[in-house]
Amino acid sequence: MAALAEEQTEVAVKLEPEGPPTLLPPQAGDGAGEGSGGTTNNGPNGGGGNVAASSSTGGDGGTPKPTVAVSAAAPAGAAPVPAAAPDAGAPHDRQTLLAVLQFLRQSNLREAEEALRREARLLEEAVAGSGAPGEVDSAGAEVTSALLSRVTASAPGPAAPDPPGTGASGATVVSGSASGPAAPGKVGSVAVEDQPDVSAVLSAYNQQGDPTMYEEYYSGLKHFIECSLDCHRAELSQLFYPLFVHMYLELVYNQHENEAKSFFEKFHGDQECYYQDDLRVLSSLTKKEHMKGNETMLDFRTSKFVLRISRDSYQLLKRHLQEKQNNQIWNIVQEHLYIDIFDGMPRSKQQIDAMVGSLAGEAKREANKSKVFFGLLKEPEIEVPLDDEDEEGENEEGKPKKKKPKKDSIGSKSKKQDPNAPPQNRIPLPELKDSDKLDKIMNMKETTKRVRLGPDCLPSICFYTFLNAYQGLTAVDVTDDSSLIAGGFADSTVRVWSVTPKKLRSVKQASDLSLIDKESDDVLERIMDEKTASELKILYGHSGPVYGASFSPDRNYLLSSSEDGTVRLWSLQTFTCLVGYKGHNYPVWDTQFSPYGYYFVSGGHDRVARLWATDHYQPLRIFAGHLADVNCTRFHPNSNYVATGSADRTVRLWDVLNGNCVRIFTGHKGPIHSLTFSPNGRFLATGATDGRVLLWDIGHGLMVGELKGHTDTVCSLRFSRDGEILASGSMDNTVRLWDAIKAFEDLETDDFTTATGHINLPENSQELLLGTYMTKSTPVVHLHFTRRNLVLAAGAYSPQ
Amino acid sequence: MAEEKKLKLSNTVLPSESMKVVAESMGIAQIQEETCQLLTDEVSYRIKEIAQDALKFMHMGKRQKLTTSDIDYALKLKNVEPLYGFHAQEFIPFRFASGGGRELYFYEEKEVDLSDIINTPLPRVPLDVCLKAPKEQQKAEATEPLKSAKPGQEEDGPLKGKGQGATTADGKGKEKKAPPLLDGAPLRLKPRSIHELSVEQQLYYKEITEACVGSCEAKRAEALQSIATDPGLYQMLPRFSTFISEGVRVNVVQNNLALLIYLMRMVKALMDNPTLYLEKYVHELIPAVMTCIVSRQLCLRPDVDNHWALRDFAARLVAQICKHFSTTTNNIQSRITKTFTKSWVDEKTPWTTRYGSIAGLAELGHDVIKTLILPRLQQEGERIRSVLDGPVLSNIDRIGADHVQSLLLKHCAPVLAKLRPPPDNQDAYRAEFGSLGPLLCSHVVKARAQAALQAQQVNRTTLTITQPRPTLTLSQAPQPGPRTPGLLKVPGSIALPVQTLVSARAAAPPQPSPPPTKFIVMSSSSSAPSTQQVLSLSTSAPGSGSTTTSPVTTTVPSVQPIVKLVSTATTAPPSTAPSGPGSVQKYIVVSLPPTGEGKGGPTSHPSPVPPPASSPSPLSGSALCGGKQEPGDSPPPAPGTPKTNGSQPNSGSPQPAP
C-alpha cells in the first residue's frame, strides 16, 4: 500500500496518456517481477516511476487495512508498496524505515526490501548499523530551539520532510495482513506474530514526562490561551484538541491508566463538540495493548494534525512555551502537529470554525494549490436532426415555447474550448458508439424541452417509494434518461425496475439466437425474449448488503458494490453478472461509473478509492490518503477527476491521470455521505452527517457556501441539469431545494482569499432555501433530475 | 459550545460481577477479582469498538436503528465469527431476577418443542419489495405527498412569504400536468374503493367541512364551490351525507340557525355537483332537509331571526330532490307531500311548521299548489285573519301568520292568474277565498301585468315562478375578490328568469291591512331564457337604514340581464298601494344593502364582480341592516321573503326611477 497520503502522488500506478484508449494497469510486468510476497509491490523504481516512493507525505499515510490481499493471487500486483521515504533527515524517519525493512525481512519479501533499501540509499549505513528497530530516538532529547527552527521551516515545499507516512504504511500493511479476513486464501500474508514496527511507531510516545504533571501542563496552556488577546485566542484554541489527544495517548501508552482517565475526565469537556465521535473512541482506549489495533489512534499518531495559525499567534505561543520551559507540550507540537504559518491578520473564530473539524485538522494551504482542469470536455459534434414532428410533439404537450436560440447556444458552447478544460485526450476515453450518439441526440431534444428552473419556477418532485423494504434499502440509482431505477438491498440483491411502460427483457438463449435472421432490420428487437418481459429484474450474486449502485451511461451495465468486498458488473441485456471486481477486502461503500463510461471508481472501508476500467479485473489507480472509510465517490463531469468523501470528515479530489490528490476540503463536522459536482464542473457540493451541505469552488480550492437546514445526514445531493437548483435529500425525511445560482453568484474570490484560504461565509442559508418538502416517513436516499428537470426522489418507507 | 457538549463521555465498563456470572456459566467456579477486572476492561473495550463499527454499517445502510446484522458485519470486519441466531425484528427485553443476593439480567429463552414449530402453519409470505410512485392524475392516491412544509415557510418570514406562496402554487399546478409527459410512473387505474380515504382525501374532507361550517365566508364560498364542481368526491359522499345529517340533528336541538344554513348550502352544493349521484344518500339527506323546513324552532329568537329564509331554501332543496330522485318506486314526492299536508292540516301545528309545510308544498310545483293549497286557502285565510286581526296573543304568532300570508299570496297568485280568466274581481275572490281574497286579487293582477310585460320583452309564456330558486345567500365577502360562479348558478331548468319579490307589508299597527306592494325584479337575458340570472346587487349606504338606499346601477357582466323593479304602486306614498290594479309600473334598478356581514358596505360596493346573490328584495336587506342586527355570521336573508318591521316605511324606500 503506497499509503502515503498527501498532496503528492499517492497513486500506485502511472497512467499512460498517449496509450491506447485504455488505461493500462501499469505495471503488469513489474508487478509480476517483484510480486513475490503477498504484498505485491510496485517497486519504487518500477515502471510507474512516480510511485509511492516519491510521496513524501506529511504523514497521513497509513491506512491500516490496505489491500494486502489483492495481490495474493494476482501475478501482477497492482497494490502499491510500502514506500520508503526519500528523506532521511529526521531521526524518527529512520526509525520508521527500519520498521518497514524489518517487516519486509520477516515477511520474506526480499526484493521489496532490496528495492526499499535502494530507494533509501542514504540510509543504508544507518540501517545496517542500527540494531533493534524498536529503539527510538527520544524526541525529547532534541534541542528545543532546533525543533523550533524545523517547524518554522517546514511549511513550504511540496516535499515536506516529514516522515511518518512511510513508517505508518509499513505498519499498516502488517496490521492489514494480520487481521485481514481473507487470510487463509492468501499466499503471501505471513502471519506476523508481533508487530515490532507498530511499537516503533508508538514509541514516539515514549517520552519520559511526569504523568502527574500533564494536567498541570495542559491547564497551564489553557490558562495562557484563555488569557491571551481575543484575536489570538481563537487561533490558539485550535491547539487544545490535538494536544489533548496526544497527551492522553502518551499517558495511555506509558501505562499511566489512572492519570489518563483523570486527564480525560477533566478536559474532554473543553473540546469542541464536533470532535465528540473521536473522543468517544478515545475514551474507551485506556490500555497500551488496545492501542495497537486501534485505527483512530493510529490516525492520530501517523498523521500530523494540521493547524493554520498566523505568525503573530505562533510567536506568542512559542514565547510562552519557551518561557515556561514546557518541553512536554513543545515536543508534542513538534512531533505531532503541523503548524501552517501564514502572515497577516489572525483569523476569526468563525473563519476557523468553518474550516476545522476533520480528523487531521485543516488541509495545508499548498495542498490545494495545484491546478485543476475543472472545465468540461468538448462535446463531440453531432448533427441534430430537427424534424418537424418533433416540434409538433412539443406543441401537443403544451409547451409551445421553442427554444431555438438556446439550442444554438449549446452548439456554440461546445465549439469553443473552455480554458479550464483539460486537453481532450488527457485521459483516454472510449469512443462514441452509434447508440451513444443516438442517445446524445435524444438528450439534446429533451434539453430543448427542459424547464428553466429558478426561485420562481421550482421543479416538481416525483417520489418513488420502496414499499416493504423492511429497512433494507441501501442504495438507489436512476439512469440518466430516467427510464430505469436500481435498488441495492441489505438482503444482497440488486433489483432493477423499469419506470416506463417499456418492460425489461433479456436476450434470448444462444440456441435461439442462432435462429435469428441477422440481416433483418429489427434484429435488435428480435434478439429480445418477450417471455422474459417484466417490470422488475432481480440480480443475485452479492453476499452482503449492496451499498452502492450505478448505471453505465449507455444503460447496458450496472455496477454494484457490497459489503462482501466486491464490485460487480451486471449486464442489463442478459441480467446476469459479468465480472466481480475484487480488490477491496472490506465493505465497498460506493461505486460510480464515469460519465463517459468504461471507467468506474469505488471506495470502501479500506480507506482507499480505486479506479477501475470495466475490462480490467484490477484497479488502474488506487487513491490512498483518507484516514477513514471512503464513504462516497463521484466522477467529475469531465471524467478527469474523482472526488471522495470520507469518514475522516474530509473531501478529496484526485487526479485520474496521475493519481495525485489535488484538493483536500476540510470543514465538515461529520462523516461525508454525499457528493455532487455542479454540471459546469466548477463547484462541488458535499453533505455530511452533521446535516450541513457545503459548497466548494474547485478551481480556487475554497469553501464558498454553507447550507444549513437539514437535521440529519444528507444522503443525496444533486444539481439540476442547468445547475440552477441544488436538491438535497436527507435522513430527516425531507427534500430541500436551494438556490444554487445565488449561492455561487458573487463569490469573493479575490487574490487575497485565494492566497490565504481565509473564507468568510455569508449566513444566508435561509435565503437560499427555496423549499422544504417532507415525506411521511421515508428517508430520501437518492435524488435525480430528469433531462427536463423534474426531480425524482427515492427512498424506502420506514414505518416508525 | 462548551456547555452543550458537557455530555458525559465517561469510560463505562461492565461490572466485574458479570464476568463472574459468565465464568460460572462456563463452568469456571473460582475466578480471581483481578482477572475479572482485566476481563471487564478488555471486554468493554472490544464491545465499544464493535459497537462503533456497527454504527458505521447502520449509517451506510441508511437506517436510524442499529440491527443485529450490523453487529455481525462489524464482527466480520474484525475477522470474528458473527453471532448467529439473534435475528429478531423485535426488541428483546432483558429480564431481571434476583435471589440469594445475586442480581441477574437474562433473556427469556423458552424451550420450544420442535414438533410445534413443524406443525404450525406457515406464516404468510412477507410482501415483496415494490416501487411505488404517486400517480398524479389521481392526486388523492399519492402515497407520498410531498407537501410543502408550511411551518418552515412561515419561518421564512415576510421576506420570502410572498414569493413562496406563488412558487408553491406554481409547483402544484405543474405537478398535475407534468407527469404525463414525464417519464414517470406507469399509469394504472386502481379499483375503486369506497371506504378507504387516502390521507389527501382525509385532509380535503377535513378542510372542506371545517370551511363549510367555519366563520370565514370567503373560505366557505370556496369550499362550496369545490363541493359543487370537484369531480372526485364520490368516495367522500357517505362522509358528507353523514356529516350533514348529524350536523342538522345536533344543531336543530341547539337552535343554531347559522350552522343549519351552512349545512343546507352544503346539500345544495352536493346536489349541484354534476359528477355526484346522490340517490344512495337521499335517505339521509331528506330527513335533514325536511327538519330544516318544518321544525318548530330553528333559531334562538324566533321573533327576530330570519329562519324563514332557511325554510324557503330548504323547501326548494326538497323540491329539487323530488325532481331529481323521485321515481314511481320510491315515491319520494308523494311521501313528502303527505308529510307536509299532514302537518299543515293539523290544527295545532305552530305557525313556523305551517309556514314550512306550505313552502315545501308550494315549491313542488303548480299542480301541487292547485290541488293541495288552493282548496285550503279560505280556511287558512281565516286562521290568518284571526291571528292578525284578533287580540294580540303573541308577537311570534303574529309574525308567523304574517309570513304564511305572504307566502300564500306569493305562490298562489301566479297559479291563479293562470287558472282564472282575466277579469279579476275583488269580490269574486273574496267569495272564493275568504279573507285572503282581496289581497290575492291584487296579486293576481300584478302577476298578470308581470306576465304581459314578460311577453313583451321576452318570448315568454308564463309569469309564474316555477323554478326553484336555490341560492339562499347574499354572502358578500368583505373583499371584492373573484367570486365563485358556482354559487350563482340557478339550475338550467328555469324557463323564465323572473323573480317576484313581495315586500311584506309593514307590520306597523296603523295599517291593519297593509297595502300589497310588490316588487318584481326581473332579469332576462335576450340570448337564452334559460341562462342563469346573475344579479349584482350592491349597496351604497347600508348602515343608515333602508330609506336611504339609493339606486345604484347594477352591473351584471356576464349575462347582462335587465334588472328592474316593478312596482305596482307609486311607491312614494305606500298607503296608496291598494289601488294596485291600475297603477303605473315603474322600472327601477335596485340596489341592495349587503347582508349581515356585509355591513361594511363600501367595500363591497364597487365590486364589479357579481356577488352570489339572487334577487333578494331590497327590503329584506334593509330590514336586516336597519332593524335586525343579526350576528355577523348569521345567514343572509332569504330572497322573496323580506321582513320589515315597524320602523320601515316599506315600499317607499326604493326610490323609483321614472
Side-chain angles (χ1 to χ4, degrees), chain A residues 602-776:
Chain A
S602 64
H605 180 66
D606 59 5
R607 305 177 170 202
V608 295
R610 288 161 195 252
L611 179 82
W612 311 72
T614 47
D615 55 359
H616 289 74
Y617 62 91
Q618 286 168 345
L620 306 180
R621 296 284 180 278
I622 293 179
F623 305 116
H626 278 298
L627 299 177
D629 303 34
V630 177
N631 285 343
C632 49
T633 54
R634 283 291 173 274
F635 261 99
H636 190 275
N638 69 18
S639 200
N640 278 262
Y641 297 92
V642 165
T644 55
S646 164
D648 67 8
R649 309 190 283 272
T650 63
V651 177
R652 282 170 187 251
L653 190 70
W654 309 87
D655 192 338
V656 167
L657 179 69
N658 50 25
N660 289 344
C661 177
V662 290
R663 290 286 181 271
I664 303 175
F665 295 129
T666 61
H668 271 298
K669 317 289 190 243
I672 286 140
H673 277 257
S674 52
L675 288 173
T676 191
F677 283 95
S678 68
N680 62 11
R682 273 193 69 190
F683 302 104
L684 178 68
T686 57
T689 53
D690 56 9
R692 298 183 314 151
V693 175
L694 297 184
L695 307 172
W696 311 90
D697 181 336
I698 294 170
H700 297 100
L702 293 174
M703 187 194 296
V704 291
E706 176 188 25
L707 306 175
K708 285 191 233 175
H710 283 294
T711 56
D712 206 334
T713 306
V714 179
C715 290
S716 49
L717 281 170
R718 196 58 81 100
F719 280 97
S720 67
R721 293 280 173 153
D722 292 325
E724 311 99 330
I725 295 233
L726 174 64
S728 60
S730 161
M731 294 291 288
D732 64 10
N733 302 345
T734 60
V735 175
R736 285 171 203 258
L737 301 178
W738 311 87
D739 189 341
I741 294 188
K742 202 167 158 196
F744 294 133
E745 82 191 337
D746 34 48
L747 289 183
E748 289 177 35
T749 42
D750 50 280
D751 292 341
F752 174 76
T753 314
T754 316
T756 58
H758 299 176
I759 46 156
N760 281 306
L761 289 183
E763 271 288 335
N764 58 354
S765 294
Q766 285 311 308
E767 292 164 39
L768 297 176
L769 181 62
L770 297 177
T772 302
Y773 303 90
M774 305 222 257
T775 66
K776 277 178 202 155

Side-chain angles (χ1 to χ4, degrees), chain B residues 29 41 53 80 115 128 218 286 291 296 320 414 429 452 501 521 564 627:
Chain B
D41 281 353
D53 276 343
V80 179
S115 61
D128 199 9
I286 289 181
T291 305
R296 181 186 308 253
Q320 201 182 346
Y429 273 84
L501 306 177
V521 174
K564 293 184 177 76

Side-chain angles (χ1 to χ4, degrees), chain B residues 274-463:
Chain B
T275 60
L276 295 180
Y277 193 60
L278 296 178
E279 195 188 13
K280 294 215 173 73
Y281 306 99
V282 281
H283 67 275
E284 259 187 316
L285 293 178
I286 289 181
V289 179
M290 293 285 275
T291 305
C292 290
I293 300 174
V294 297
S295 174
R296 181 186 308 253
Q297 192 178 354
L298 288 170
C299 49
L300 287 173
R301 295 168 301 167
D303 47 339
V304 282
D305 288 344
N306 191 354
H307 56 98
W308 314 105
L310 173 61
R311 294 176 196 273
D312 283 337
F313 183 72
R316 259 174 254 129
L317 276 178
V318 161
Q320 201 182 346
I321 290 174
C322 284
K323 199 159 144 254
H324 284 166
F325 305 111
S326 183
T327 62
T328 48
T329 43
N330 63 16
N331 272 333
I332 289 180
Q333 175 149 3
S334 65
R335 281 152 74 185
I336 287 176
T337 318
K338 220 176 275 170
T339 314
F340 283 141
T341 323
K342 218 167 117 194
S343 60
W344 184 22
V345 169
D346 189 349
E347 285 297 317
K348 288 174 200 132
T349 312
W351 282 106
T352 48
T353 306
R354 194 170 289 275
Y355 179 92
S357 306
I358 298 170
L361 285 173
E363 294 291 347
L364 288 174
H366 283 188
D367 289 344
V368 178
I369 295 177
K370 195 172 85 184
T371 53
L372 290 175
I373 299 184
L374 291 186
R376 286 187 59 86
L377 269 183
Q378 191 166 10
Q379 208 177 332
E380 198 61 28
E382 277 311 309
R383 193 195 303 275
I384 292 168
R385 198 178 53 82
S386 71
V387 173
L388 291 181
D389 295 348
V392 180
L393 295 173
S394 100
N395 197 26
I396 292 180
D397 276 354
R398 173 176 285 274
I399 295 170
D402 194 28
H403 272 94
V404 169
Q405 177 175 324
S406 47
L407 180 76
L408 284 172
L409 290 178
K410 184 181 84 178
H411 285 291
C412 294
V415 181
L416 284 174
K418 242 175 30 176
L419 287 177
R420 293 175 71 96
D424 294 318
N425 188 328
Q426 292 245 17
D427 295 334
Y429 273 84
R430 187 187 296 279
E432 191 169 339
F433 302 113
S435 56
L436 277 176
L439 282 173
L440 257 170
C441 181
S442 64
H443 272 83
V444 170
V445 168
K446 260 181 282 175
R448 286 192 206 285
Q450 180 71 41
L453 176 80
Q454 195 70 28
Q456 290 162 10
Q457 290 187 343
V458 197
N459 49 351
R460 45 108 333 200
T461 51
T462 168
L463 193 61

Side-chain angles (χ1 to χ4, degrees), chain A residues 179-181 257 261 264-265 268-273 276 279-281 283-287 290 293-294 353 397 399 455-471 473-474 481-482 485 489-490 495 497 499-500 535 545 547 563 586-587 589 605 629 631 673 712 715 731 766-767 769-778 781 786 788 790, chain B residues 1-2 4-11 13 38 41-42 44-46 48-49 52-53 55-57 59-65 67 70 73 76-79 89 126-134 136 142-149 151-153 155-156 159-160 163-164 166-168 170-171 174-179 181-186 188 199-200:
Chain A
S179 62
E257 194 177 331
K261 275 182 186 165
F264 190 89
E265 252 339 272
H268 81 263
D270 298 342
Q271 311 307 327
E272 298 285 359
C273 55
Q276 223 186 77
L279 289 178
R280 208 166 276 142
V281 173
S283 76
S284 60
L285 193 72
T286 53
K287 296 229 182 307
H290 294 162
N294 192 289
D353 274 342
E397 284 156 24
K399 289 185 170 183
D456 301 326
C457 182
L458 294 180
S460 301
I461 302 176
C462 175
F463 204 105
Y464 286 97
T465 311
F466 290 79
L467 299 176
N468 312 317
Y470 308 105
Q471 305 228 332
L473 181 75
T474 44
D481 68 348
S482 318
I485 288 187
F489 290 85
R495 289 159 195 256
W497 279 269
V499 291
T500 57
E535 275 183 10
Y547 291 115
E563 186 270 342
Y586 290 94
W589 297 131
H605 180 66
D629 303 34
N631 285 343
H673 277 257
D712 206 334
C715 290
M731 294 291 288
Q766 285 311 308
E767 292 164 39
L769 181 62
L770 297 177
T772 302
Y773 303 90
M774 305 222 257
T775 66
K776 277 178 202 155
S777 178
T778 306
V781 174
T786 67
R788 296 185 188 180
L790 172 80
Chain B
M1 275 183 193
E4 64 188 78
K5 60 152 193 220
K6 273 296 177 196
L7 79 160
K8 264 293 172 224
L9 279 178
S10 57
N11 188 12
V13 291
L38 280 175
D41 281 353
E42 181 68 15
S44 306
Y45 172 71
R46 297 296 167 198
K48 282 178 193 173
E49 210 179 12
Q52 279 155 3
D53 276 343
L55 271 181
K56 202 174 277 177
F57 282 93
H59 281 302
M60 297 311 294
K62 303 186 168 79
R63 277 177 280 113
Q64 312 266 27
K65 273 187 206 157
T67 64
D70 291 332
Y73 293 127
K76 209 171 143 192
L77 279 190
K78 302 263 171 229
N79 217 11
Q89 291 295 319
L127 294 170
D128 199 9
V129 186
C130 67
L131 184 63
K132 176 149 183 169
E136 283 87 345
T143 47
E144 198 64 30
L146 284 174
K147 284 263 156 67
S148 203
Q153 283 184 359
E155 279 163 25
D156 288 344
L159 242 181
K160 291 200 76 175
Q164 200 88 41
T167 51
T168 39
D170 279 0
K174 244 188 303 143
E175 190 117 31
K176 268 184 209 159
K177 73 165 196 269
L181 30 127
L182 289 158
D183 14 26
R188 258 177 280 134
V199 174
E200 286 72 20

Side-chain angles (χ1 to χ4, degrees), chain A residues 523-589:
Chain A
V523 66
L524 287 179
E525 264 306 298
R526 292 193 183 195
I527 59 171
M528 303 315 262
D529 189 352
E530 278 304 325
K531 282 183 298 225
T532 60
S534 70
E535 275 183 10
L536 162 67
K537 294 278 184 189
I538 307 179
L539 308 175
Y540 297 100
H542 281 295
S543 59
V546 179
Y547 291 115
S550 175
F551 282 104
S552 70
D554 60 4
R555 296 187 298 285
N556 285 326
Y557 304 103
L558 173 68
L559 279 173
S560 63
S561 67
S562 162
E563 186 270 342
D564 62 13
T566 62
V567 178
R568 281 177 185 269
L569 181 75
W570 308 84
S571 163
L572 298 182
Q573 300 292 331
T574 60
F575 294 98
T576 52
C577 182
L578 301 177
V579 196
Y581 300 95
K582 295 176 185 171
H584 296 275
N585 272 328
Y586 290 94
V588 189
W589 297 131

